[in-house]
Amino acid sequence: MPRNPMGAFWLLVALLLAANGVQPARGASENLLPDTTRAFLSVNNVKSFADQWNKTQLGQLIKDPVMKPFVEDLRRQLDERWTGMRERLGLTVEDLREVPGGEVAVAAIQPGPGKHATAVLADITGHQEQANAVLKKVQANMAKQGAKQRQVQSAGATLIVYDIPPPEGHPAPATPQQAIYFVRGNLLAAADDLGVIQGILTRLAGQGSGSLAEAKAFQAVMTRCQADAGKEPPEARWWIQPLGYLEVAQAARAERTDKPKRRKRSMIDVLKKQGFGGVQAIGGYLDFAVDKCDIIHRTVIYAPKPFEGAMKMLSFPNRKEFGPPPWAPRDVAAYATFYADILTAFDHFGPLFDELYSEGEPGLWADTLQSLEKDPDGPRINVRSELVSHLGPRITILTDYQLPITTTSERLLFAVEVKDEDAVDRALAKLFKNDPDMRRHPEAVPGHSRTIWESAPHDKSSIPSVTLDLPPIGPGGAPPQKTPHEQPPILPNQALTVARGHLFIASHVDFLKKVLRQSDEKASLARAVEYQVVQKALAALKPPDRTAEIFNRTDETYRPTYELIRQGKMPESEMLFGRLLNTFLGPEKKGVPRKQEIEGSKMPEFDYVRRHLSPAGAYVVSEEQGWFIKGFMLGKQ
């Protein structure tokens, strides 16, 4: 199976890119997979999925001849992500493309502590000949690797087991590598763990329990999605147990490392200790070309109350008002607004801060706050009473970019509602007036009399990334170890001020000034045609009181990323998405930027792609069992 459990996702993408016409056959893979499944992805019927996808603007774009070089390059990249698949299973993604005749599902499984496994289930109705041909290829490829083939009888079926020797010059792993197959009826199953596949067979025979379908968190997610979607099955379903999946990914990484280093604490340990295990599951439904929308997605974050520890920070009350304020420019790429209990979040942040920065020893956060208030050389501010207590519950986020597109084009702005502008303005002055990393911006904005604080230029010599102590998602080895001083802040050029009843925090002072200058209500986002169209679509969904709303001009949002890929500069991107890619996909060596995988020169001009991208919207509802998210991308208007 893939070297990383996330490879299951890439397998499904590759299969769907090459889906061919077959007769539908509905499966129920969750009844066969074990309740130790930590991530699950299922397409109900490959033909239906492909047909519906081809009706969307994106599907039509992918089929356009002008996109052929790009699509072929993308398929090549997907195959390269599975370079270890031939060694582990004896087949390639190309071999599997002809096999599914109905449902196809992939799962990352945790058979035991420190262990990982992956399973693939495919309904081969009408495709038995293709499945037999693939099994013959597997046999030939395994023979070339020196694998020993044997048969094991289980639950009335014959399992084909390949015991795979370690590569020449490598020590034998603690757990011998195996690839196991069986075909029974219209089901083809493959896994890299004998116990996992024996369990699948037992449940297939109706003799076993402990399936994923019986897991309470799985039931909760799927039931909530179905309650909104109705009885018709979705094109695709997905489900993940967040901390469990991270453990599976960690085990996969350790397997690739000859002598894995065990740190005293991992991010998984921190999250568990601070109560974030309360997020028991995340999953949802995905549909294409329905209800005048190209895409409709439903997502459930299953986190039943009461929360414990720092998880109590995640308090998001439902409200009614979500319209853009007059200062939101009409041409922004995206707009989101939500409600949060900021004071509660602040009061429960301390233990998490201590876990992250003092290895769990309590008191560092309290000492930090006390130092800010009492140290004669400090700002002499009580952060809670002088700043946080004056912040309101509503937070607004704007996204934009600057032309021409460069690695620093992205613009972000966070606006936090305030109850007392003067009090917050005084707090900022206390915090920053003696801070060597902050300065008063000299240029005034007409009509704005308060100080604008801007961070000093940051050293950009390091590779842009985000510090995350998580397992890698890419196919490479362990992520590079970076020391804190190498990491630039999330907003290295931030600018702050207080105005119009809000605390503004912007990624760049030019974007902050653009917002401050916006005073004509006719030029505000609320008057934009795209926003009004999305609002009409949202209203048709009849959302209840909710905690968040999102508006997205997908063409404007994706343009910076697209242009950087065309320029071959995505690995150098300082945009938040680019930094996340740098974190998860490389680099493998300290100080060496990752290589861009997609050949950007094969991509057409963005103006050609833009016409296939429509506005999108979403809303989020806080519920007793967690959060429900529903969103869409509109069809062509």
Side-chain angles (χ1 to χ4, degrees):
M1 298 312 299
R3 294 185 182 276
N4 189 293
M6 194 62 182
F9 168 77
W10 296 112
L11 169 62
L12 204 53
V13 171
L15 287 171
L16 295 173
L17 279 173
N20 293 294
V22 292
Q23 293 302 312
R26 185 173 302 178
S29 53
E30 65 267 33
N31 293 316
L32 304 179
L33 293 166
D35 56 11
T36 54
T37 297
R38 302 297 179 238
F40 165 83
L41 183 60
S42 167
V43 167
N44 186 60
N45 178 270
V46 173
K47 180 186 184 304
S48 173
F49 189 101
D51 288 346
Q52 292 300 108
W53 167 255
N54 289 336
K55 294 176 184 178
T56 68
Q57 297 175 80
L58 291 175
Q60 293 168 17
L61 175 64
I62 294 298
K63 291 177 65 177
D64 194 305
V66 75
M67 294 295 292
K68 184 178 179 181
F70 167 72
V71 172
E72 289 178 347
D73 188 58
L74 178 59
R75 285 176 177 168
R76 178 181 60 81
Q77 297 296 340
L78 292 172
D79 287 342
E80 287 179 359
R81 286 187 174 275
W82 283 65
T83 53
M85 189 173 176
R86 183 179 294 274
E87 288 75 22
R88 295 187 64 89
L89 275 186
L91 79 169
T92 66
V93 170
E94 188 65 37
D95 297 331
L96 287 175
R97 283 178 179 152
E98 301 290 334
V99 172
E103 182 193 25
V104 58
V106 289
I109 299 165
Q110 189 176 32
K115 296 183 178 181
H116 71 97
T118 309
V120 178
L121 303 178
D123 183 334
I124 58 173
T125 301
H127 281 207
Q128 282 83 357
E129 289 186 10
Q130 292 92 329
N132 291 334
V134 163
L135 291 176
K136 289 181 179 178
K137 285 187 179 181
V138 169
Q139 185 178 37
N141 291 333
M142 285 296 179
K144 291 179 181 179
Q145 294 185 55
K148 295 182 178 180
Q149 178 181 343
R150 57 190 172 94
Q151 294 184 353
V152 174
Q153 298 300 315
S154 180
T158 300
L159 301 178
I160 303 172
V161 181
Y162 296 97
D163 296 306
I164 306 170
E168 188 174 349
H170 288 251
T175 302
Q177 184 178 333
Q178 294 179 322
I180 309 102
Y181 289 81
F182 77 79
V183 175
R184 189 166 189 182
N186 291 322
L187 177 68
L188 168 65
D192 54 2
D193 184 279
L194 181 59
V196 165
I197 210 159
Q198 286 178 326
I200 290 172
L201 258 177
T202 300
R203 284 182 285 274
L204 182 62
Q207 300 171 356
S209 59
S211 68
L212 175 61
E214 298 173 57
K216 181 179 179 180
F218 182 86
Q219 292 176 352
V221 169
M222 296 302 156
T223 299
R224 180 64 183 89
C225 286
Q226 186 175 1
D228 185 83
K231 295 182 179 180
E232 194 66 25
E235 297 298 336
R237 298 172 296 145
W238 63 280
W239 181 89
I240 185 170
Q241 188 186 81
L243 295 187
Y245 173 74
L246 291 179
E247 290 176 345
V248 168
Q250 190 176 68
R253 183 174 69 185
E255 183 183 86
R256 296 191 300 269
T257 308
D258 292 336
K259 294 181 180 180
K261 286 187 177 181
R262 288 290 300 169
R263 291 185 240 181
K264 293 181 180 179
R265 299 178 317 125
S266 70
M267 181 58 73
I268 299 172
D269 298 328
V270 170
L271 293 173
K272 284 183 176 180
K273 187 174 180 180
Q274 290 303 312
F276 290 99
V279 180
Q280 297 182 27
I282 306 173
Y285 280 13
L286 182 65
D287 284 292
F288 299 129
V290 291
D291 298 334
K292 299 182 180 180
C293 294
D294 272 6
I295 300 172
I296 290 184
H297 58 88
R298 298 170 174 87
T299 301
V300 172
I301 302 174
Y302 179 60
K305 297 175 181 177
F307 296 160
E308 300 293 336
M311 181 80 177
K312 293 179 181 178
M313 295 170 58
L314 306 183
S315 177
F316 305 110
N318 292 320
R319 295 289 186 269
K320 297 179 181 296
E321 178 55 46
F322 295 90
W327 45 259
R330 69 180 299 150
D331 60 349
V332 294
Y335 161 82
T337 188
F338 66 97
Y339 290 85
D341 189 337
I342 294 180
L343 197 58
T344 295
F346 181 85
D347 288 341
H348 290 91
F349 177 68
L352 179 60
F353 182 90
D354 292 344
E355 282 287 341
L356 293 173
Y357 294 102
S358 66
E359 298 190 355
E361 289 294 325
L364 180 60
W365 176 243
D367 291 345
T368 300
L369 294 179
Q370 186 175 28
S371 176
L372 289 171
E373 182 178 7
K374 304 294 185 182
D375 190 336
D377 298 323
R380 304 294 293 270
I381 181 174
N382 184 304
V383 175
R384 189 184 192 280
S385 64
E386 295 183 60
L387 177 59
V388 179
S389 65
H390 296 295
L391 301 179
R394 186 173 176 180
I395 301 171
T396 297
I397 305 172
L398 302 181
T399 304
D400 206 359
Y401 61 87
Q402 190 178 62
L403 293 175
I405 300 298
T406 68
T407 57
T408 60
S409 282
E410 184 180 61
R411 298 292 186 264
L412 298 171
L413 182 137
F414 300 85
V416 184
E417 190 178 57
V418 301
K419 304 171 187 175
D420 187 333
E421 283 193 36
D422 292 335
V424 175
D425 189 47
R426 289 192 298 269
L428 293 184
K430 275 191 173 185
L431 281 170
F432 299 139
K433 65 181 179 181
N434 295 321
D435 187 338
D437 294 328
M438 300 294 292
R439 66 184 180 94
R440 295 175 185 264
H441 197 275
E443 183 182 340
V445 176
H448 179 67
S449 59
R450 300 191 190 275
T451 300
I452 295 176
W453 299 93
E454 183 183 13
S455 62
H458 191 273
D459 180 12
K460 299 179 181 179
S461 60
S462 60
I463 298 170
S465 62
V466 176
T467 303
L468 289 174
D469 183 15
L470 298 175
I473 287 182
Q481 298 300 312
K482 300 179 178 71
T483 55
H485 73 272
E486 292 180 285
Q487 298 301 324
I490 297 295
L491 301 178
N493 305 296
Q494 65 178 317
L496 305 90
T497 196
V498 182
R500 304 185 183 184
H502 289 79
L503 166 62
F504 290 110
I505 307 169
S507 61
H508 297 77
V509 71
D510 59 349
F511 191 34
L512 174 60
K513 290 180 178 180
K514 176 180 178 178
V515 170
L516 293 176
R517 293 189 184 108
Q518 164 58 31
S519 58
D520 184 0
E521 188 174 344
K522 294 181 180 179
S524 69
L525 177 63
R527 296 294 187 93
V529 173
E530 298 98 324
Y531 178 78
Q532 293 176 359
V533 169
V534 168
Q535 279 298 299
K536 184 177 179 180
L538 276 171
L541 300 179
K542 299 180 180 179
D545 287 358
R546 49 210 176 276
T547 189
E549 267 192 17
I550 301 165
F551 163 73
N552 186 357
R553 287 185 171 102
T554 57
D555 56 343
E556 302 295 344
T557 301
Y558 301 150
R559 181 179 181 182
T561 297
Y562 187 91
E563 295 287 9
L564 287 181
I565 293 175
R566 287 190 75 237
Q567 298 169 21
K569 295 182 178 180
M570 196 61 197
E572 304 167 35
S573 173
E574 294 185 27
M575 297 185 294
L576 185 58
F577 179 68
R579 294 168 73 181
L580 287 170
L581 282 180
N582 286 340
T583 299
F584 289 122
L585 301 183
E588 294 187 11
K589 292 185 179 179
K590 183 178 178 180
V592 178
R594 68 180 178 88
K595 180 181 178 182
Q596 181 169 301
E597 296 185 4
I598 295 177
E599 178 53 59
S601 63
K602 298 180 180 181
M603 299 167 67
E605 294 284 342
F606 183 72
D607 283 342
Y608 184 86
V609 175
R610 181 196 295 273
R611 62 192 186 195
H612 295 274
L613 300 172
S614 295
Y619 68 84
V620 184
V621 180
S622 287
E623 300 179 341
E624 192 64 25
Q625 299 298 310
W627 298 274
F628 176 73
I629 306 164
K630 186 173 183 178
F632 55 84
M633 178 176 170
L634 292 173
K636 191 172 183 178
Q637 300 299 303

